[in-house]
Amino acid sequence: MADYNFKEIEPRWQQFWLDQQSFRAPGPGDDGFDASKPKYYVLDMFPYPSGAGLHVGHPKGYTATDITARYKRHQGFNVLHPMGWDAFGLPAEQYAIQTGTHPAVTTAANVDNFRSQLQALGFSYDWAREIDTTSPDYYKWTQWVFKQLFEKGLAYEAEIPVWWCSKLGTVLANEEVVDGHSERGGHPCEKRPLRQWMFKITEYADRLLADLEDLDWPDSVKAMQREWIGRSEGAELGFVIDGVDECITVFTTRPDTLFGASFCVVAPEHPLLASFVSDEQRDEVAAYQEQAKGKSDLQRAELQKDKSGVFTGAYAVNPIFKDGDPRQLIPIYTADYVLMTYGTGAIMCVPDGDERDHQFAEKYDLPIPKILDDNQCLCNSDFLDGLTKEQAVPKMIEWLVANEIGEKCINFRLRDWLFSRQRYWGEPFPVLHEVVDGKRNGNVKLVDDADLPVSLPILEDFGPTEDGAPPLARAEEWVKVVDSDGKVYEREVNSMPQWAGSCWYFLRFLDPHNTSEAWSAEAEKYWMPVDLYVGGAEHAVLHLLYARFWHKVLFDCGLVSTSEPFQKLVNQGMVQSFAYKNERGILVSIDEVEGDEGNYTLIETGEKVEKLVAKMSKSLKNVINPDDVCDEYGADTLRLYEAFMGPLTTSAPWNPRDLPGVHRFLQRTWRVFDSGFADAACDDIERGLHKCIKKVGDDLEAMGYNTAIAAMMEFINLATKSKIDLTVEQGQRFSVLLEPFAPHLAEELYKLCGGSDALAQLPWPSYDNKMLVADTIEIPVQVNGKLKAKAVIAADADKDAQQEAAELAIAGEINGTVRKVIVIPGRMVNFVVS
RNA sequence: GGGGAGGUAGCCCAAUGGCAGAGGCAAAGGACUUAAAAUCCUUCCAGUGUGGGUUCGAGUCCCAUCCUCCCUACCA
């Protein structure tokens, strides 16, 4: 009898897997590739290798994909299960600025730490395919992909007002600014006009929206992407400004309400505003514009209950009314509830139809003409009277087109993607600006493929420059390029945002050592699309939308064979932690609290605190370190616990009290094998094993990891209670079932019961349906749906025999006439009595 | 305001429309032990947030309602 010694077992098998390359996934063209096997590509969202190391949230998703990867190998798939590092990014750069250490140095150290942490958890990655987005071998191809997008005409430079964060010394994408503050760090941001690289993602808006339909993705993520793309159908129409030779164009989803349009509002930033504002109102409007400029979008939103605005002194002509009609001239206001960044930055206001317009009209005492009746049908609207919205909109559009006033229009909330950053630690652009007489002349040239990668120059000073120019501008020798024909160029000194590397990494995994192409067409055709992609919901929009966009472009270029990269997506739930809240509602650090069973107090003061669930955070000292868990219980226990916490998609707090439970299961399993083996199989155990094989297989298909583990626990409980040991052969079959979940122990057990093959490649055991049911079963007998008795029947009894047995069991309980008998074979019998 | 996911035992979590319980935690009792730990055995505990409906039969389907969590928001 020996103990379950995970500390000895786990490192030994980890080394074995590395030495044997047990999880190498040969692809087309590689030695050992078997083209006859089906493929399965299971991918994790690769991590940013932070200095803090792995968090227990990471292994939740990684364990799930690893279980599935290992299961698919047993089913005979060629499984591609790779891991890499999304290693460009701000934290490494900021650390570099603070310490003077080059980001490449800290990144390499962090990567080493992450890799060894992941290997200590026994994940079955093909480490030969490891990639690092900051390696020149990798970003060479990121630059190459950029060139493909550029050559498709999808990249352009623009001088646009962008979010500028002076603290970070960089511009940020709209998506990276929340409530006027940087998403990372929470620093205040302001709008500044700067020359930037943009991608025309809006050209793909329709397809990005439509193709969501066929994806096996969570509804919540699809909904978020739909909202982000924000397609809305309506019309654009022109309003001529009275007495001025200008026309403002408005976008509306309700052109049918034009009869009720009693004023117009333009955004304070509207370019035409200055041309039509009256002299009397000029100062007031200018003051309002100045005030609006200083407001963040958050501040604008905060004021939503109290709208503000200023009359411009100008009037627009409502085109639906004839000359002389008193309703024809409508005042134009400027107000910050209209955003320049959406639609045309100008709206027609229909206070009877739109709540916001109504508020504004009431505040500024503007007319509110009634155009909708109690049934929300149009009234006072001439040729639209009595029509519903659905009927009236096309009719009005028809009228607008016929009178050359406007046309049908589809608007998207999606904006073009701001793709440049003023940072050091990112991919350089493969772009040269032509310089004549010391000045850029506006001509842009791409770097030849043969000259890729454009390597990141080594700098001493990574911080932003005084004048806001990117840090790369300091590398003067690097910036200046003289062509063979004598032309002088300056390199682009902006760098790409962190999204770049993650937009196509799943393609590089297919063929990571290819030095002549980003990936081979053969490998792409075989492995793509990703069959299962698991990651956090925080990437529901940005990463997943950007990656889909690049992929569609590559598809249009004929470089990939699928129009979508990720067929099935699953969001793992968050691993939270317990926290404590004092009476003033403030969260307190976990080490200041004592007590249990619902009574918790502060150690120092005795003040009562309330237990709740919150995100893990350093300040609450409730962060769980996977290394500590591994040290105390082992990697198999950690894996099993993460998979057993509940469904993968559910968030749940880390509960240290539950860890011993799964650890005990592994110990019990060990003892079942360690107690020796029987010569002949026990029938009960054999039946239990068949049941277990079926349940674990079915659950794995549905990613029901927690219930699969429960089934294995059930079997081990059965085997523990049995006086008869497993046979060697039963032990081998169970080892295969356990291998995806607790691979180290499974390898050890397989060896204990005499296994000599490569466990990871063994076929998944089969089960016999006949072994799943006992000879006789007990079924409920109901009267009017209420349980009255039980009957014992043969498992294969036919309907009549089952009813007969039920009648016997219920004899005397039935008072009344039997109207109907419901017999569900093998399930139950119900007598309907009146 | 809009969208998404949920409410089952003291806790986490199961249950193709068919006996509410698979599994784990916690609790209680017992066996083993000089004792403790570990281990093993046994036991306790809910009628599924609420109100209707469909059905022979509803945790499961439909409608309404309450609560929780997440996302999003002057998007015209």
Side-chain angles (χ1 to χ4, degrees):
Chain A
M1 292 291 271
D3 280 341
Y4 165 42
N5 185 355
F6 60 85
K7 284 199 173 170
E8 187 275 323
I9 292 172
E10 293 183 350
R12 180 153 48 78
W13 285 106
Q14 285 158 14
Q15 196 56 51
F16 176 85
W17 295 327
L18 285 176
D19 293 345
Q20 301 289 312
Q21 296 190 46
S22 303
F23 309 114
R24 181 174 161 263
D30 293 338
D31 287 345
F33 173 63
D34 181 353
S36 68
K37 287 164 104 182
K39 68 92 184 181
Y40 196 82
Y41 187 178
V42 49
L43 182 66
D44 295 297
M45 289 184 186
F46 67 161
Y48 174 78
S50 75
L54 218 56
H55 176 272
V56 284
H58 290 113
K60 176 157 175 156
Y62 300 163
T63 300
T65 52
D66 197 58
I67 291 169
T68 294
R70 288 172 178 268
Y71 171 61
K72 291 288 175 185
R73 281 190 202 102
H74 290 305
Q75 286 190 309
F77 286 81
N78 281 328
V79 173
L80 182 57
H81 187 40
M83 180 45 80
W85 321 108
D86 188 16
F88 273 129
L90 210 44
E93 180 169 311
Q94 286 176 311
Y95 187 78
I97 292 167
Q98 285 162 20
T99 63
T101 317
H102 195 276
V105 174
T106 49
T107 299
N110 292 348
V111 162
D112 285 344
N113 182 38
F114 262 68
R115 189 191 306 104
S116 68
Q117 282 189 303
L118 290 177
Q119 285 175 350
L121 292 175
F123 293 127
S124 63
Y125 296 118
D126 178 357
W127 286 106
R129 291 177 184 265
E130 178 181 346
I131 57 176
D132 174 347
T133 55
T134 65
S135 153
D137 296 337
Y138 182 89
Y139 69 69
K140 168 182 179 176
W141 299 110
T142 307
Q143 292 168 344
W144 177 83
V145 177
F146 173 86
K147 287 183 64 180
Q148 310 309 307
L149 275 96
F150 184 95
E151 280 163 3
K152 269 259 159 196
L154 294 166
Y156 63 97
E157 289 177 278
E159 186 89 14
I160 48 160
V162 294
W163 284 107
W164 168 262
C165 178
S166 51
K167 184 84 190 223
L168 298 175
T170 186
V171 296
L172 296 167
N174 282 325
E175 298 89 309
E176 291 170 309
V177 178
V178 178
D179 300 340
H181 290 76
S182 62
E183 191 186 20
R184 201 185 276 276
H187 306 298
C189 303
E190 56 168 351
K191 291 273 180 130
R192 254 197 204 183
L194 278 176
R195 189 187 57 83
Q196 300 292 335
W197 281 95
M198 306 290 291
F199 273 132
K200 293 181 188 169
I201 190 171
T202 48
E203 284 197 0
Y204 280 71
D206 259 326
R207 283 164 66 192
L208 288 167
L209 184 68
D211 292 352
L212 282 173
E213 293 302 322
D214 299 324
L215 296 178
D216 185 4
W217 283 24
D219 287 340
S220 58
V221 175
K222 286 192 188 185
M224 276 189 242
Q225 293 221 347
R226 268 187 216 109
E227 281 168 21
W228 192 265
I229 296 167
R231 182 182 196 273
S232 56
E233 280 186 28
E236 272 189 9
L237 57 154
F239 280 72
V240 173
I241 299 165
D242 187 45
V244 181
D245 189 21
E246 290 287 358
C247 173
I248 52 174
T249 305
V250 306
F251 172 74
T252 176
T253 54
R254 293 295 306 269
D256 56 313
T257 60
L258 187 54
F259 286 95
S262 57
F263 60 102
C264 280
V265 174
V266 301
E269 303 86 355
H270 199 281
L272 291 181
L273 182 48
S275 65
F276 60 74
V277 62
S278 72
D279 291 339
E280 303 85 72
Q281 294 298 104
R282 192 172 297 277
D283 289 347
E284 203 181 335
V285 167
Y288 186 77
Q289 284 177 306
E290 195 54 39
Q291 187 198 333
K293 208 171 164 184
K295 279 189 200 171
S296 69
D297 281 0
L298 168 72
Q299 287 166 315
R300 284 194 181 190
E302 268 175 358
L303 301 170
Q304 60 179 285
K305 292 221 169 74
D306 187 28
K307 301 220 170 343
S308 69
V310 173
F311 179 46
T312 63
Y315 290 83
V317 178
N318 186 334
I320 199 74
F321 298 119
K322 294 197 170 65
D323 287 347
D325 191 311
R327 299 170 293 179
Q328 192 192 36
L329 287 187
I330 59 177
I332 305 173
Y333 278 70
T334 181
D336 64 7
Y337 80 92
V338 172
L339 307 175
M340 196 57 227
T341 47
Y342 182 75
T344 60
I347 60 170
M348 67 179 213
C349 296
V350 184
D352 195 36
D354 186 280
E355 205 182 313
R356 295 154 303 184
D357 297 346
H358 193 97
Q359 278 178 29
F360 195 83
E362 288 208 314
K363 177 160 179 184
Y364 292 98
D365 205 18
L366 292 157
I368 304 175
K370 188 167 171 58
I371 48 141
L372 292 171
D373 65 20
D374 295 343
N375 303 318
Q376 294 300 301
C377 288
L378 289 149
C379 62
N380 301 324
S381 294
D382 197 351
F383 60 96
L384 300 178
D385 280 352
L387 298 184
T388 64
K389 170 191 167 188
E390 286 70 27
Q391 296 163 329
V393 169
K395 240 181 144 168
M396 177 56 95
I397 290 176
E398 220 173 274
W399 185 90
L400 290 172
V401 171
N403 292 277
E404 294 180 2
I405 289 162
E407 56 193 7
K408 187 172 171 171
C409 175
I410 292 162
N411 218 329
F412 291 94
R413 282 182 60 188
L414 187 70
R415 317 285 157 69
D416 276 347
W417 174 16
L418 174 66
F419 191 70
S420 47
R421 299 289 185 276
Q422 287 64 56
R423 283 181 195 161
Y424 170 69
W425 194 231
E427 297 89 346
F429 281 81
V431 167
L432 298 171
H433 298 274
E434 194 176 322
V435 174
V436 176
D437 300 334
K439 282 177 78 177
R440 292 184 184 183
N441 67 356
N443 290 343
V444 161
K445 183 180 124 166
L446 292 179
V447 175
D448 287 343
D449 284 357
D451 295 329
L452 295 181
V454 177
S455 301
L456 197 53
I458 299 197
L459 290 184
E460 296 286 313
D461 185 358
F462 320 108
T465 57
E466 293 288 315
D467 59 0
L472 285 180
R474 287 206 185 86
E476 286 168 24
E477 282 181 31
W478 176 85
V479 169
K480 192 177 169 189
V481 175
V482 181
D483 216 347
S484 52
D485 56 14
K487 275 192 182 170
V488 180
Y489 297 93
E490 281 178 10
R491 289 191 192 279
E492 174 61 58
V493 290
N494 282 311
S495 61
M496 298 189 200
Q498 194 179 358
W499 309 110
S502 60
C503 275
W504 74 284
Y505 74 112
F506 45 91
L507 292 166
R508 188 61 180 172
F509 278 138
L510 310 178
D511 196 9
H513 305 297
N514 196 330
T515 51
S516 59
E517 299 170 286
W519 58 83
S520 81
E522 203 185 0
E524 190 281 329
K525 206 166 169 36
Y526 180 73
W527 289 115
M528 284 300 282
V530 174
D531 296 283
L532 176 63
Y533 194 25
V534 174
E538 67 273 18
H539 294 115
V541 178
L542 305 181
H543 160 58
L544 288 168
L545 194 69
Y546 294 153
R548 290 179 66 218
F549 166 55
W550 278 35
H551 202 76
K552 284 186 182 306
V553 177
L554 294 170
F555 178 71
D556 291 348
C557 294
L559 293 164
V560 297
S561 53
T562 63
S563 63
E564 285 286 337
F566 315 120
Q567 186 50 41
K568 182 180 170 82
L569 172 75
V570 174
N571 288 137
Q572 88 245 25
M574 271 194 305
V575 178
Q576 300 152 310
S577 203
F578 292 119
Y580 300 89
K581 194 169 73 174
N582 67 18
E583 282 162 351
R584 281 151 294 150
I586 296 165
L587 292 170
V588 296
S589 171
I590 199 160
D591 57 355
E592 295 170 23
V593 176
E594 63 181 359
D596 58 15
E597 295 301 311
N599 283 307
Y600 302 94
T601 51
L602 281 184
I603 294 170
E604 273 198 23
T605 62
E607 184 190 344
K608 276 207 168 172
V609 290
E610 191 191 332
K611 186 178 180 177
L612 47 84
V613 172
K615 273 189 187 170
M616 287 188 186
S617 78
K618 277 185 199 159
S619 63
L620 297 177
K621 299 210 169 73
N622 60 2
V623 177
I624 308 289
N625 182 342
D627 291 347
D628 297 343
V629 180
C630 251
D631 200 46
E632 194 174 354
Y633 293 101
D636 282 337
T637 298
L638 174 67
R639 293 170 58 109
L640 215 57
Y641 174 71
E642 299 240 12
F644 191 60
M645 286 175 86
L648 174 61
T649 51
T650 305
S651 292
W654 185 272
N655 191 347
R657 282 164 71 159
D658 286 339
L659 271 163
V662 285
H663 189 66
R664 274 200 284 264
F665 160 65
L666 294 178
Q667 283 179 316
R668 249 196 313 265
T669 306
W670 171 264
R671 277 195 295 273
V672 165
F673 280 70
D674 192 47
S675 68
F677 297 97
D679 294 328
C682 160
D683 191 52
D684 278 353
I685 290 182
E686 184 62 19
R687 283 173 185 276
L689 185 55
H690 279 255
K691 199 176 147 196
C692 185
I693 292 167
K694 174 173 166 48
K695 178 73 175 151
V696 173
D698 288 353
D699 285 350
L700 283 180
E701 293 294 337
M703 300 178 77
Y705 306 106
N706 54 332
T707 49
I709 292 168
M712 288 189 288
M713 286 173 166
E714 198 178 353
F715 175 74
I716 287 301
N717 288 346
L718 175 77
T720 300
K721 279 179 198 173
S722 169
K723 293 194 171 64
I724 303 170
D725 288 322
L726 303 186
T727 64
V728 161
E729 186 277 328
Q730 285 173 329
Q732 294 188 0
R733 273 184 285 160
F734 185 78
S735 303
V736 178
L737 295 192
L738 185 65
E739 191 266 352
F741 301 88
H744 312 85
L745 178 60
E747 290 272 15
E748 194 69 15
L749 297 178
Y750 181 63
K751 231 177 76 183
L752 262 185
C753 50
S756 55
D757 299 315
L759 176 61
Q761 303 298 336
L762 284 187
W764 192 251
S766 57
Y767 61 88
D768 182 348
N769 275 316
K770 275 186 244 141
M771 297 294 282
L772 298 178
V773 284
D775 296 337
T776 60
I777 50 173
E778 195 184 54
I779 57 158
V781 181
Q782 302 175 344
V783 175
N784 291 339
K786 299 243 160 51
L787 179 69
K788 291 291 181 190
K790 296 203 173 181
V792 176
I793 60 165
D796 56 355
D798 62 17
K799 262 186 141 180
D800 292 343
Q802 186 171 328
Q803 184 172 341
E804 217 168 287
E807 278 165 358
L808 213 65
I810 202 85
E813 295 265 358
I814 300 178
N815 306 310
T817 318
V818 177
R819 297 268 175 214
K820 200 173 169 188
V821 184
I822 315 280
V823 181
I824 310 293
R827 288 298 234 171
M828 49 73 70
V829 178
N830 186 21
F831 295 93
V832 184
V833 174
S834 63

